[in-house]
Amino acid sequence: MDPATSGLKETVAAALRTVVAANPKPDKDQVASALTGAGIPAASLQVSASRTPTGLDVDSLEAAALQGKDCVIGQIRDGAVVVTVLPVLANGKCFVGTPA
């Protein structure tokens, strides 16, 4: 993993842990705000929906930040944070479909 991706992974993890410490089930706006507040450009972010189409809370919330050919993906589930790095998709994004 290159240094830029490694640094971004640490930044995403720290920002998501801070959000979860204040609210174990944050919504997508809180996650996006925390990540942009940590210095991640909004144009490189994708955040999944925090509610289902029927209005229920989702089981997990994902956020992804694009770094070159890598996607740093963080997941919040049950108040816990997991961050991993995956390759960027062929469409140049980190999520399949239209981000919420």
Side-chain angles (χ1 to χ4, degrees):
M1 179 177 338
D2 72 49
T5 300
S6 181
L8 181 58
K9 183 178 178 186
E10 291 176 23
T11 299
V12 168
L16 294 181
R17 284 188 197 107
T18 298
V19 169
V20 168
N23 179 3
K25 278 195 88 104
D27 65 28
K28 73 178 207 165
D29 293 332
Q30 292 170 318
V31 170
S33 179
L35 293 170
T36 56
I40 300 169
S44 75
L45 284 178
Q46 292 178 269
V47 180
S48 66
S50 48
R51 302 198 59 80
T52 68
T54 59
L56 301 174
D57 286 340
V58 295
D59 292 332
S60 66
L61 183 72
E62 286 80 27
L66 185 62
Q67 173 64 46
K69 294 182 179 181
D70 294 320
C71 291
V72 176
I73 300 177
Q75 181 184 72
I76 299 171
R77 179 186 294 269
D78 297 328
V81 173
V82 176
V83 180
T84 192
V85 177
L86 297 170
V88 68
L89 298 172
N91 67 2
K93 303 220 178 225
C94 297
F95 291 166
V96 173
T98 304

